[in-house]
Amino acid sequence: MSSSNIIMERVVEAYVGEYASGKSEVAINRALELKEQSWEVTLVDLDTVEPFYTLRPLKALLEKKGITVVGWEAKETFGLGETGGLIKPAVRWVLKRSGCIIMDIGYGVHGAHTLNLVEGAYDDPHLKVLAVVNVARPMTATVGDIIDYVKHLGRVDGLVSNNHLGNDTTVEFVEQGHRVVLEAAESLGIPVVCAAVDERLREEVAKIDFAGVPVRYIKRYMPGAIW
């Protein structure tokens, strides 16, 4: 994830959102961005909702890139999900680790509640809970939908505008979706912290007015995460 802003203090971010919002992709790229800035980074798998499309198959790859991943590897679980909903015990104390902490939370309201399993999460002064929003998803398709959805998640400190249609994403869709997210954020009284855009659209989105919201270009890793 490319960004011109150099982070000067510890980052603790928890990414929540609807299924296929792109929260795992955003979390991975954020972790890699911080690593590129020479931070020690821990990426935490807190997805108990969808065990077949998580960070597990990517753990070895991400650790080769220098990120510590707290979560299971696919080979450590078995069958059709009998162990899919288990949280790795080390997750509970992850905030005691040094450096930056990025948490990938399971989707929906149920998923958001798993943040309660992390000891001291809501007492951490650095914690930011960020909801990743994609207007292509039925539960966050309109301004009203986003407002209702975010209110049901519990604590949310900001939104990530991540409007995409996978490989079919167009610049027009990114722009239209971003406007919807901006309007919802204004009504909710919380900021849009960034707009996440597939790196292949980098040149094309240069013409878009993101209303002062920083753009982060992401590389897609999750297509390799299905097992």
Coordinates of all heavy atoms in Angstrom, one line a residue, residues 19-104:
Y19 N -18.7 -8.7 4.5 CA -18.1 -9.7 3.6 C -17.8 -9.1 2.3 O -18.6 -8.5 1.6 CB -19.1 -10.9 3.5 CG -18.5 -12.0 2.7 CD1 -17.5 -12.8 3.2 CD2 -19.0 -12.3 1.4 CE1 -17.0 -13.9 2.4 CE2 -18.5 -13.3 0.6 CZ -17.5 -14.1 1.1 OH -16.9 -15.1 0.4
A20 N -16.6 -9.4 1.8 CA -16.1 -8.9 0.5 C -15.9 -7.4 0.4 O -15.9 -6.8 -0.7 CB -17.0 -9.4 -0.7
S21 N -15.9 -6.7 1.6 CA -15.6 -5.3 1.6 C -14.2 -5.0 1.2 O -13.8 -3.9 0.7 CB -15.9 -4.7 2.9 OG -15.1 -5.2 3.9
G22 N -13.3 -6.0 1.4 CA -11.9 -5.8 1.2 C -11.1 -5.5 2.4 O -9.9 -5.1 2.3
K23 N -11.6 -5.8 3.6 CA -10.9 -5.4 4.8 C -9.6 -6.2 5.0 O -8.6 -5.6 5.5 CB -11.9 -5.6 6.0 CG -12.3 -7.1 6.2 CD -13.2 -7.2 7.4 CE -13.7 -8.7 7.5 NZ -12.5 -9.7 7.5
S24 N -9.6 -7.5 4.7 CA -8.4 -8.3 4.8 C -7.3 -7.7 3.8 O -6.1 -7.6 4.2 CB -8.6 -9.7 4.5 OG -9.5 -10.3 5.5
E25 N -7.7 -7.4 2.6 CA -6.7 -6.8 1.7 C -6.2 -5.5 2.2 O -5.0 -5.2 2.1 CB -7.5 -6.6 0.3 CG -6.6 -6.7 -0.9 CD -6.2 -8.1 -1.2 OE1 -7.0 -8.8 -2.0 OE2 -5.2 -8.6 -0.7
V26 N -7.1 -4.7 2.7 CA -6.6 -3.4 3.3 C -5.7 -3.6 4.4 O -4.7 -2.9 4.6 CB -7.8 -2.5 3.7 CG1 -7.4 -1.3 4.4 CG2 -8.6 -2.1 2.4
A27 N -6.0 -4.5 5.3 CA -5.2 -4.8 6.5 C -3.8 -5.3 6.1 O -2.8 -4.9 6.6 CB -5.9 -5.8 7.4
I28 N -3.7 -6.2 5.1 CA -2.5 -6.7 4.6 C -1.6 -5.6 4.1 O -0.4 -5.5 4.4 CB -2.7 -7.8 3.6 CG1 -3.2 -9.1 4.2 CG2 -1.3 -8.1 2.8 CD1 -3.7 -10.1 3.2
N29 N -2.2 -4.8 3.2 CA -1.4 -3.7 2.6 C -1.0 -2.7 3.6 O 0.1 -2.1 3.4 CB -2.2 -3.1 1.4 CG -2.2 -3.9 0.2 OD1 -1.3 -3.7 -0.7 ND2 -3.1 -4.9 0.0
R30 N -1.8 -2.4 4.6 CA -1.4 -1.5 5.6 C -0.2 -2.0 6.4 O 0.7 -1.3 6.7 CB -2.6 -1.2 6.6 CG -2.3 -0.3 7.7 CD -1.9 1.1 7.3 NE -2.1 2.1 8.3 CZ -1.6 3.3 8.3 NH1 -0.8 3.7 7.3 NH2 -1.8 4.1 9.4
A31 N -0.3 -3.3 6.7 CA 0.9 -3.9 7.5 C 2.2 -3.8 6.6 O 3.2 -3.5 7.2 CB 0.5 -5.3 7.8
L32 N 2.1 -4.0 5.3 CA 3.2 -4.0 4.5 C 3.8 -2.5 4.3 O 5.0 -2.3 4.3 CB 2.9 -4.6 3.1 CG 2.7 -6.1 3.1 CD1 2.1 -6.5 1.8 CD2 4.0 -6.8 3.4
E33 N 2.8 -1.6 4.3 CA 3.2 -0.2 4.2 C 4.0 0.2 5.5 O 5.1 0.8 5.4 CB 2.0 0.7 4.1 CG 2.3 2.2 4.2 CD 1.1 3.0 4.4 OE1 0.0 2.5 4.9 OE2 1.1 4.2 4.1
L34 N 3.6 -0.2 6.6 CA 4.3 0.1 7.9 C 5.6 -0.6 7.9 O 6.6 0.0 8.4 CB 3.4 -0.2 9.1 CG 2.1 0.6 9.2 CD1 1.2 0.0 10.2 CD2 2.5 2.0 9.6
K35 N 5.7 -1.8 7.4 CA 6.9 -2.5 7.4 C 7.9 -1.8 6.5 O 9.1 -1.7 6.8 CB 6.7 -4.0 6.9 CG 8.0 -4.8 6.9 CD 8.5 -5.0 8.3 CE 9.8 -5.8 8.3 NZ 10.4 -5.9 9.7
E36 N 7.5 -1.3 5.4 CA 8.4 -0.5 4.5 C 8.9 0.7 5.2 O 10.0 1.2 4.8 CB 7.6 -0.2 3.2 CG 7.3 -1.3 2.3 CD 6.4 -0.9 1.1 OE1 6.1 0.3 1.0 OE2 6.1 -1.8 0.3
Q37 N 8.3 1.2 6.2 CA 8.7 2.3 6.9 C 9.6 1.9 8.1 O 9.8 2.7 9.0 CB 7.5 3.2 7.4 CG 6.8 3.8 6.2 CD 5.6 4.7 6.7 OE1 5.5 5.1 7.8 NE2 4.7 5.0 5.8
S38 N 10.0 0.7 8.1 CA 11.0 0.1 9.1 C 10.3 -0.1 10.5 O 11.0 -0.3 11.5 CB 12.2 1.1 9.3 OG 12.9 1.2 8.1
W39 N 9.0 -0.2 10.5 CA 8.3 -0.6 11.8 C 8.3 -2.1 12.0 O 8.3 -2.8 11.0 CB 6.9 -0.1 11.7 CG 6.7 1.3 12.1 CD1 6.5 2.4 11.3 CD2 6.6 1.9 13.4 NE1 6.4 3.5 12.0 CE2 6.4 3.3 13.3 CE3 6.7 1.3 14.7 CZ2 6.3 4.1 14.4 CZ3 6.6 2.2 15.8 CH2 6.4 3.5 15.7
E40 N 8.4 -2.5 13.2 CA 8.1 -3.9 13.5 C 6.6 -4.0 13.5 O 5.9 -3.2 14.1 CB 8.6 -4.2 15.0 CG 8.3 -5.6 15.4 CD 8.8 -5.8 16.9 OE1 9.5 -4.9 17.4 OE2 8.5 -6.9 17.4
V41 N 6.0 -5.0 12.7 CA 4.6 -5.0 12.5 C 4.1 -6.4 12.8 O 4.6 -7.4 12.4 CB 4.3 -4.7 11.0 CG1 2.8 -4.7 10.8 CG2 4.8 -3.3 10.6
T42 N 3.0 -6.5 13.5 CA 2.3 -7.7 13.8 C 0.9 -7.6 13.2 O 0.1 -6.7 13.4 CB 2.1 -7.9 15.3 OG1 3.4 -8.0 15.9 CG2 1.3 -9.2 15.6
L43 N 0.6 -8.6 12.4 CA -0.7 -8.7 11.7 C -1.5 -9.8 12.4 O -1.0 -10.9 12.5 CB -0.6 -9.0 10.2 CG -1.8 -9.1 9.3 CD1 -2.6 -7.9 9.4 CD2 -1.4 -9.5 7.9
V44 N -2.7 -9.5 12.9 CA -3.5 -10.4 13.7 C -4.7 -10.9 12.9 O -5.5 -10.1 12.5 CB -3.9 -9.7 15.0 CG1 -4.6 -10.8 15.9 CG2 -2.7 -9.1 15.7
D45 N -4.9 -12.2 12.9 CA -6.0 -12.9 12.2 C -7.1 -13.1 13.3 O -7.0 -14.0 14.1 CB -5.7 -14.2 11.6 CG -6.8 -14.8 10.8 OD1 -7.9 -14.3 10.9 OD2 -6.6 -15.9 10.2
L46 N -8.1 -12.2 13.3 CA -9.3 -12.3 14.2 C -10.5 -12.7 13.5 O -11.6 -12.3 14.0 CB -9.4 -11.0 15.0 CG -8.7 -11.0 16.4 CD1 -8.7 -9.5 16.9 CD2 -9.4 -11.9 17.3
D47 N -10.4 -13.4 12.4 CA -11.6 -13.7 11.6 C -12.1 -15.1 12.0 O -11.5 -16.1 11.6 CB -11.3 -13.7 10.1 CG -12.6 -13.8 9.3 OD1 -13.6 -14.1 9.8 OD2 -12.5 -13.4 8.1
T48 N -13.1 -15.2 12.8 CA -13.7 -16.4 13.2 C -15.0 -16.7 12.4 O -15.6 -17.8 12.6 CB -14.1 -16.5 14.7 OG1 -15.1 -15.4 14.9 CG2 -12.9 -16.2 15.5
V49 N -15.4 -15.8 11.5 CA -16.7 -15.9 10.8 C -16.5 -16.7 9.5 O -17.4 -17.6 9.2 CB -17.2 -14.5 10.5 CG1 -18.6 -14.6 9.8 CG2 -17.4 -13.7 11.8
E50 N -15.4 -16.5 8.8 CA -15.3 -17.1 7.5 C -13.9 -17.8 7.4 O -12.9 -17.2 7.0 CB -15.4 -16.1 6.4 CG -15.2 -16.7 5.0 CD -16.2 -17.8 4.7 OE1 -17.3 -17.6 4.4 OE2 -15.7 -19.0 4.8
P51 N -13.7 -19.0 8.0 CA -12.4 -19.6 8.1 C -11.8 -20.0 6.8 O -10.6 -20.4 6.8 CB -12.7 -20.8 9.0 CG -14.1 -21.2 8.8 CD -14.8 -19.8 8.6
F52 N -12.5 -20.0 5.7 CA -12.0 -20.5 4.4 C -11.5 -19.4 3.5 O -11.0 -19.7 2.4 CB -13.1 -21.3 3.7 CG -13.7 -22.4 4.5 CD1 -15.0 -22.3 4.9 CD2 -12.9 -23.4 5.0 CE1 -15.6 -23.3 5.7 CE2 -13.5 -24.4 5.8 CZ -14.9 -24.3 6.2
Y53 N -11.6 -18.2 4.0 CA -11.1 -17.0 3.2 C -10.5 -16.0 4.2 O -11.0 -14.9 4.4 CB -12.3 -16.4 2.4 CG -11.9 -15.5 1.3 CD1 -10.9 -15.9 0.4 CD2 -12.4 -14.2 1.2 CE1 -10.6 -15.1 -0.7 CE2 -12.0 -13.4 0.2 CZ -11.1 -13.8 -0.7 OH -10.7 -12.9 -1.8
T54 N -9.4 -16.5 4.8 CA -8.7 -15.7 5.8 C -7.2 -15.5 5.4 O -6.8 -15.9 4.3 CB -8.8 -16.3 7.2 OG1 -8.0 -17.5 7.2 CG2 -10.3 -16.7 7.5
L55 N -6.5 -15.0 6.4 CA -5.0 -14.8 6.2 C -4.2 -16.2 6.3 O -3.1 -16.2 5.9 CB -4.5 -13.9 7.3 CG -5.1 -12.5 7.4 CD1 -4.5 -11.8 8.5 CD2 -4.9 -11.8 6.1
R56 N -4.9 -17.3 6.6 CA -4.1 -18.5 6.9 C -3.3 -19.0 5.8 O -2.1 -19.3 6.0 CB -5.1 -19.6 7.3 CG -5.9 -19.3 8.6 CD -6.9 -20.3 8.9 NE -7.7 -19.9 10.0 CZ -8.7 -20.5 10.5 NH1 -9.0 -21.7 10.0 NH2 -9.4 -20.1 11.5
P57 N -3.8 -19.0 4.5 CA -2.9 -19.5 3.5 C -1.8 -18.5 3.1 O -0.9 -18.9 2.4 CB -3.9 -19.7 2.3 CG -5.2 -19.8 2.9 CD -5.2 -18.9 4.1
L58 N -1.9 -17.3 3.6 CA -0.9 -16.3 3.2 C 0.1 -16.1 4.3 O 1.0 -15.3 4.2 CB -1.6 -14.9 3.0 CG -2.7 -14.9 1.9 CD1 -3.4 -13.6 1.8 CD2 -2.0 -15.2 0.5
K59 N 0.0 -16.8 5.4 CA 0.8 -16.5 6.6 C 2.3 -16.7 6.3 O 3.1 -15.8 6.6 CB 0.5 -17.4 7.8 CG 1.3 -17.2 9.0 CD 0.8 -18.0 10.2 CE 1.7 -17.8 11.4 NZ 1.3 -18.6 12.6
A60 N 2.7 -17.7 5.6 CA 4.1 -18.0 5.3 C 4.6 -16.9 4.4 O 5.8 -16.4 4.6 CB 4.3 -19.4 4.7
L61 N 3.9 -16.5 3.4 CA 4.3 -15.5 2.4 C 4.5 -14.1 3.2 O 5.5 -13.5 2.9 CB 3.2 -15.3 1.3 CG 3.4 -14.1 0.4 CD1 4.7 -14.2 -0.4 CD2 2.2 -13.9 -0.5
L62 N 3.6 -13.8 4.0 CA 3.7 -12.5 4.7 C 4.8 -12.5 5.7 O 5.5 -11.4 5.9 CB 2.4 -12.2 5.4 CG 1.2 -11.9 4.4 CD1 -0.1 -11.8 5.2 CD2 1.4 -10.7 3.6
E63 N 5.1 -13.6 6.3 CA 6.2 -13.7 7.3 C 7.5 -13.6 6.6 O 8.5 -13.1 7.1 CB 6.1 -14.9 8.2 CG 4.9 -14.8 9.1 CD 4.8 -15.8 10.2 OE1 5.4 -16.9 10.0 OE2 4.3 -15.5 11.3
K64 N 7.6 -14.1 5.3 CA 8.8 -13.9 4.5 C 9.1 -12.4 4.2 O 10.2 -12.0 4.0 CB 8.7 -14.7 3.2 CG 8.9 -16.2 3.4 CD 8.8 -16.9 2.1 CE 9.0 -18.4 2.2 NZ 8.8 -19.1 0.9
K65 N 8.0 -11.7 4.2 CA 8.1 -10.2 4.0 C 8.5 -9.5 5.2 O 8.5 -8.2 5.2 CB 6.8 -9.7 3.3 CG 6.6 -10.2 1.9 CD 5.3 -9.7 1.3 CE 5.1 -10.2 -0.1 NZ 6.0 -9.6 -1.0
G66 N 8.6 -10.2 6.3 CA 9.1 -9.5 7.6 C 8.0 -9.2 8.5 O 8.2 -8.5 9.6
I67 N 6.7 -9.6 8.3 CA 5.6 -9.3 9.2 C 5.4 -10.5 10.1 O 5.4 -11.7 9.6 CB 4.3 -9.0 8.3 CG1 4.5 -7.7 7.6 CG2 3.1 -8.9 9.2 CD1 3.4 -7.4 6.6
T68 N 5.1 -10.3 11.3 CA 4.7 -11.3 12.2 C 3.2 -11.5 12.1 O 2.5 -10.6 12.3 CB 5.1 -11.0 13.7 OG1 6.5 -10.9 13.8 CG2 4.6 -12.1 14.6
V69 N 2.8 -12.7 11.8 CA 1.3 -13.0 11.7 C 0.9 -13.8 12.9 O 1.4 -15.0 13.0 CB 1.0 -13.7 10.3 CG1 -0.5 -14.0 10.3 CG2 1.5 -12.9 9.2
V70 N 0.0 -13.3 13.7 CA -0.5 -14.1 14.8 C -1.9 -14.7 14.3 O -2.9 -14.0 14.2 CB -0.8 -13.2 16.0 CG1 -1.4 -14.0 17.2 CG2 0.6 -12.6 16.5
G71 N -1.8 -16.0 14.1 CA -3.0 -16.7 13.6 C -2.6 -18.1 13.1 O -1.4 -18.3 13.0
W72 N -3.5 -18.9 12.8 CA -3.2 -20.2 12.3 C -2.7 -20.2 10.9 O -3.1 -19.4 10.1 CB -4.4 -21.1 12.4 CG -5.1 -21.2 13.8 CD1 -6.2 -20.6 14.2 CD2 -4.6 -21.9 14.9 NE1 -6.5 -20.9 15.5 CE2 -5.5 -21.7 16.0 CE3 -3.4 -22.6 15.1 CZ2 -5.3 -22.2 17.2 CZ3 -3.2 -23.2 16.4 CH2 -4.2 -23.0 17.4
E73 N -2.0 -21.2 10.5 CA -1.7 -21.6 9.1 C -2.8 -22.6 8.7 O -3.3 -23.3 9.5 CB -0.3 -22.2 8.9 CG 0.8 -21.1 9.0 CD 2.1 -21.7 8.5 OE1 2.2 -22.1 7.3 OE2 3.0 -21.9 9.4
A74 N -3.0 -22.6 7.4 CA -4.1 -23.6 6.9 C -3.7 -25.0 7.3 O -4.6 -25.8 7.7 CB -4.2 -23.5 5.4
K75 N -2.4 -25.4 7.3 CA -2.0 -26.7 7.6 C -2.3 -27.1 9.1 O -2.2 -28.3 9.4 CB -0.6 -27.0 7.2 CG 0.4 -26.2 8.0 CD 1.8 -26.4 7.5 CE 2.9 -25.6 8.4 NZ 4.2 -25.8 7.9
E76 N -2.4 -26.1 9.9 CA -2.7 -26.3 11.3 C -4.1 -26.6 11.7 O -4.4 -26.9 12.8 CB -2.2 -25.1 12.2 CG -0.7 -24.9 12.1 CD -0.2 -23.7 12.8 OE1 -0.7 -22.6 12.5 OE2 0.6 -23.8 13.7
T77 N -5.0 -26.4 10.7 CA -6.4 -26.7 10.9 C -6.7 -27.8 9.9 O -6.0 -28.2 9.0 CB -7.3 -25.4 10.6 OG1 -7.0 -25.0 9.3 CG2 -7.0 -24.3 11.6
F78 N -7.9 -28.4 10.1 CA -8.2 -29.6 9.2 C -9.7 -29.7 8.9 O -10.5 -29.0 9.5 CB -7.7 -30.8 10.0 CG -8.4 -31.0 11.3 CD1 -9.5 -31.7 11.5 CD2 -7.7 -30.5 12.4 CE1 -10.1 -31.9 12.7 CE2 -8.3 -30.7 13.7 CZ -9.5 -31.4 13.8
G79 N -10.0 -30.6 8.0 CA -11.4 -30.9 7.7 C -12.1 -29.7 7.1 O -11.5 -28.9 6.4
L80 N -13.4 -29.6 7.3 CA -14.2 -28.6 6.7 C -14.6 -27.5 7.7 O -15.7 -26.9 7.7 CB -15.5 -29.2 6.1 CG -15.3 -30.2 5.0 CD1 -16.6 -30.9 4.6 CD2 -14.6 -29.5 3.8
G81 N -13.6 -27.2 8.6 CA -13.9 -26.0 9.5 C -14.1 -26.4 10.9 O -14.5 -25.6 11.7
E82 N -13.9 -27.7 11.3 CA -14.1 -28.0 12.6 C -13.3 -27.2 13.6 O -13.8 -26.9 14.7 CB -13.7 -29.5 12.9 CG -14.5 -30.5 12.1 CD -13.9 -30.9 10.8 OE1 -13.1 -30.0 10.2 OE2 -14.1 -32.0 10.3
T83 N -12.2 -26.7 13.2 CA -11.4 -25.9 14.0 C -11.3 -24.4 13.5 O -10.6 -23.6 14.0 CB -9.9 -26.4 14.1 OG1 -9.4 -26.4 12.8 CG2 -9.8 -27.7 14.7
G84 N -12.2 -24.2 12.5 CA -12.1 -22.9 11.8 C -12.4 -21.7 12.7 O -11.9 -20.6 12.5
G85 N -13.2 -21.9 13.8 CA -13.6 -20.7 14.6 C -12.7 -20.5 15.8 O -13.0 -19.6 16.6
L86 N -11.6 -21.2 15.9 CA -10.8 -21.1 17.1 C -9.8 -19.9 16.9 O -9.2 -19.7 15.9 CB -10.0 -22.3 17.3 CG -10.8 -23.6 17.7 CD1 -9.8 -24.8 17.9 CD2 -11.5 -23.3 19.0
I87 N -9.7 -19.1 18.0 CA -8.7 -18.0 18.0 C -7.4 -18.5 18.6 O -7.4 -19.2 19.6 CB -9.2 -16.8 18.9 CG1 -10.4 -16.2 18.2 CG2 -8.1 -15.9 19.1 CD1 -10.0 -15.4 16.9
K88 N -6.3 -18.2 18.0 CA -5.0 -18.6 18.5 C -4.8 -17.9 19.8 O -5.0 -16.7 20.0 CB -3.9 -18.3 17.5 CG -2.6 -19.0 17.8 CD -1.7 -19.1 16.5 CE -0.6 -20.1 16.7 NZ 0.2 -20.3 15.5
P89 N -4.4 -18.7 20.9 CA -4.3 -18.1 22.2 C -3.4 -16.8 22.3 O -3.7 -15.9 23.1 CB -3.6 -19.2 23.0 CG -4.1 -20.5 22.3 CD -4.1 -20.1 20.9
A90 N -2.4 -16.7 21.5 CA -1.5 -15.5 21.5 C -2.2 -14.3 21.1 O -1.7 -13.2 21.5 CB -0.3 -15.8 20.5
V91 N -3.4 -14.4 20.5 CA -4.1 -13.2 20.1 C -4.5 -12.4 21.3 O -4.5 -11.1 21.3 CB -5.4 -13.6 19.3 CG1 -6.4 -12.4 19.2 CG2 -5.0 -14.1 17.9
R92 N -4.9 -13.0 22.4 CA -5.4 -12.3 23.6 C -4.4 -11.3 24.1 O -4.8 -10.2 24.5 CB -5.7 -13.3 24.7 CG -6.2 -12.6 25.9 CD -6.5 -13.6 27.0 NE -7.1 -12.9 28.2 CZ -7.3 -13.5 29.4 NH1 -7.1 -14.8 29.5 NH2 -7.8 -12.8 30.4
W93 N -3.1 -11.5 24.0 CA -2.1 -10.6 24.6 C -1.3 -9.9 23.5 O -0.2 -9.3 23.8 CB -1.1 -11.5 25.4 CG -1.8 -12.3 26.4 CD1 -1.9 -13.7 26.3 CD2 -2.5 -11.9 27.6 NE1 -2.6 -14.2 27.4 CE2 -3.0 -13.1 28.2 CE3 -2.7 -10.7 28.2 CZ2 -3.7 -13.1 29.4 CZ3 -3.4 -10.6 29.3 CH2 -3.9 -11.8 29.9
V94 N -1.8 -9.8 22.3 CA -1.1 -9.2 21.2 C -0.7 -7.8 21.4 O 0.3 -7.3 20.8 CB -1.9 -9.4 19.9 CG1 -3.0 -8.5 19.7 CG2 -1.0 -9.4 18.7
L95 N -1.5 -7.0 22.1 CA -1.2 -5.6 22.3 C 0.0 -5.4 23.2 O 0.5 -4.2 23.3 CB -2.4 -4.9 22.8 CG -3.6 -4.7 21.9 CD1 -4.7 -3.9 22.5 CD2 -3.1 -4.0 20.6
K96 N 0.5 -6.4 23.8 CA 1.7 -6.3 24.6 C 3.0 -6.3 23.7 O 4.1 -6.0 24.2 CB 1.8 -7.4 25.7 CG 0.7 -7.3 26.7 CD 0.9 -8.3 27.8 CE -0.2 -8.2 28.9 NZ -0.1 -6.9 29.6
R97 N 2.8 -6.6 22.5 CA 3.9 -6.7 21.5 C 4.4 -5.2 21.2 O 3.6 -4.3 21.2 CB 3.6 -7.4 20.3 CG 3.3 -8.9 20.5 CD 2.7 -9.6 19.3 NE 2.5 -11.0 19.5 CZ 3.3 -12.0 19.0 NH1 4.3 -11.7 18.2 NH2 3.0 -13.3 19.3
S98 N 5.6 -5.1 20.8 CA 6.1 -3.8 20.4 C 5.8 -3.5 19.0 O 5.4 -4.4 18.2 CB 7.6 -3.7 20.6 OG 8.3 -4.7 19.9
G99 N 6.0 -2.3 18.5 CA 5.7 -1.9 17.2 C 4.2 -1.7 16.9 O 3.4 -1.5 17.7
C100 N 3.9 -1.8 15.6 CA 2.5 -1.6 15.1 C 1.7 -2.9 15.1 O 2.2 -3.9 14.7 CB 2.5 -0.9 13.7 SG 3.4 0.7 13.7
I101 N 0.4 -2.7 15.4 CA -0.5 -3.9 15.4 C -1.6 -3.6 14.5 O -2.3 -2.6 14.6 CB -1.0 -4.1 16.8 CG1 0.1 -4.1 17.9 CG2 -1.8 -5.4 16.9 CD1 1.1 -5.3 17.8
I102 N -1.8 -4.5 13.5 CA -2.9 -4.4 12.5 C -3.8 -5.7 12.7 O -3.3 -6.8 12.6 CB -2.4 -4.4 11.1 CG1 -1.4 -3.2 10.9 CG2 -3.6 -4.3 10.1 CD1 -2.1 -1.8 11.2
M103 N -5.1 -5.5 13.0 CA -6.0 -6.6 13.2 C -7.0 -6.7 12.2 O -7.7 -5.7 11.8 CB -6.7 -6.4 14.6 CG -5.7 -6.5 15.8 SD -6.4 -6.2 17.4 CE -6.3 -4.4 17.4
D104 N -7.1 -7.9 11.6 CA -8.1 -8.2 10.6 C -9.3 -8.9 11.3 O -9.1 -10.1 11.7 CB -7.5 -9.1 9.5 CG -8.5 -9.5 8.4 OD1 -9.5 -8.8 8.2 OD2 -8.2 -10.5 7.8

